Amino acid sequence: KNQVEQSPQSLIILEGKNCTLQCNYTVSPFSNLRWYKQDTGRGPVSLTIMTFSENTKSNGRYTATLDADTKQSSLHITASQLSDSASYICVVSARLGGSQGNLIFGKGTKLSVKP
Amino acid sequence: KAGVTQTPRYLIKTRGQQVTLSCSPISGHRSVSWYQQTPGQGLQFLFEYFSETQRNKGNFPGRFSGRQFSNSRSEMNVSTLELGDSALYLCASALGGTGELFFGEGSRLTVL
C-alpha cells in the first residue's frame, strides 16, 4: 500500500536554531517528492519538488534531501525564524504523468518556532 | 499573475443541507483538483478535473461531486451534509499531469 509517514508529528524549537523534518515513503512507482509549507488557515505552498535523480534541493533556508534507495527524505530548516511556524507536508507522486490523484500525502509535521 | 481563488472562504451550514464551493485556477492551468483537510486525516484527495473531464476520483461517497467549466473554473458540491463534512476544502491548479500544485486559501466549512 502506498504510504507517506512523517516525523515528528510536532516540534518546538527556539528562534535561530536549525531543525530537520523526516519523511519516509513506500510509494511505487516513484515519480517525484514534494515538500509544502502550510501556514495556519492558509493553503499549502510548494517549497521543493525532487525527482529520482536529485539528492539535494535548496530554497533559501530550506534544504530537502532525497535518498531514493532507502525511500527517505528530509527537510532541513536553517536559522529558523518565527515565520517558519507552520505545518510541513511531504507529498509523493506515485506515477510519472497521469493525474494529481496519484499524489500520496503525509499528515504533516507541525513546527512551532518560539522567540 | 493572480493565484488560485476560492469562494466562499468561510461558511456555516446545518446537517442535511447542501453546499457548493467555487475555484478559479491560475490562468492557463487546465487541471483543478480538490482536497479535504481535517486535523485527524490531513489532506485527502477528492477529485481532479482536466479540460472539463473528471480524470480521477478519491475514496469519498457520492454526496461529493464536482464539475469543471470550459474556462477551467471548477465547482464542488456536497449534498446532505453531515457533521463529519466539517473541514477545510482546498482547491489546487496545475498545468497538467503531476506538475506543481498551486493551492488556493481554502473554504472553511462548518456543519452544525
Side-chain angles (χ1 to χ4, degrees), chain B residues 17-78:
Chain B
Q17 287 187 310
Q18 67 97 26
V19 66
T20 299
L21 310 177
S22 179
C23 172
S24 292
I26 290 172
S27 178
H29 285 191
R30 295 164 65 189
S31 166
V32 174
S33 48
W34 289 88
Y35 305 85
Q36 182 193 67
Q37 187 175 36
T38 57
Q41 295 298 319
L43 273 157
Q44 292 185 286
F45 172 75
L46 280 159
F47 28 66
E48 182 200 6
Y49 288 87
F50 186 88
S51 295
E52 301 180 66
T53 301
Q54 187 180 87
R55 189 154 69 171
N56 211 332
K57 190 178 192 309
N59 190 24
F60 278 83
R63 299 185 297 108
F64 292 80
S65 63
R67 58 179 175 168
Q68 187 180 34
F69 302 96
S70 58
N71 61 358
S72 292
R73 190 178 69 86
S74 178
E75 289 181 347
M76 69 161 281
N77 183 79
V78 188

Side-chain angles (χ1 to χ4, degrees), chain A residues 88-100:
Chain A
Y88 292 84
I89 303 170
C90 176
V91 186
V92 180
S93 177
R95 188 187 301 174
L96 186 63
S99 83
Q100 306 293 355

Side-chain angles (χ1 to χ4, degrees), chain A residues 1 10 17-19 24 28 36 41 46 49-50 53 57 64-65 71 74 77 83 88-89 93-94 103 113-114:
Chain A
K1 181 184 174 185
S10 62
K17 298 295 186 183
N18 303 335
C19 68
N24 295 338
S28 182
Y36 287 87
S46 178
I49 299 178
M50 302 177 72
S53 59
K57 203 159 192 178
T65 64
K71 298 187 177 179
S74 64
I77 304 174
S83 59
Y88 292 84
I89 303 170
S93 177
L103 298 180
V113 181
K114 303 294 186 184

Side-chain angles (χ1 to χ4, degrees), chain A residues 3 27 34 42-43 59 80 82 95 98 108 115:
Chain A
Q3 280 187 316
V27 176
R34 316 160 185 212
R42 309 288 295 270
N59 179 357
S80 61
L82 298 178
R95 188 187 301 174

Side-chain angles (χ1 to χ4, degrees), chain A residues 34-82:
Chain A
R34 316 160 185 212
W35 283 95
Y36 287 87
K37 176 188 178 189
Q38 185 177 22
D39 293 321
T40 301
R42 309 288 295 270
V45 174
S46 178
L47 293 175
T48 65
I49 299 178
M50 302 177 72
T51 60
F52 184 89
S53 59
E54 295 175 296
N55 301 118
T56 305
K57 203 159 192 178
S58 292
N59 179 357
R61 294 180 297 101
Y62 300 99
T63 299
T65 64
L66 173 64
D67 186 333
D69 291 332
T70 61
K71 298 187 177 179
Q72 296 179 323
S73 175
S74 64
L75 181 69
H76 186 74
I77 304 174
T78 304
S80 61
Q81 300 176 358
L82 298 178

Side-chain angles (χ1 to χ4, degrees), chain B residues 3-25:
Chain B
V4 178
T5 304
Q6 290 188 246
T7 57
R9 287 294 313 278
Y10 304 91
L11 63 166
I12 300 173
K13 294 286 187 178
T14 55
R15 278 181 299 175
Q17 287 187 310
Q18 67 97 26
V19 66
T20 299
L21 310 177
S22 179
C23 172
S24 292

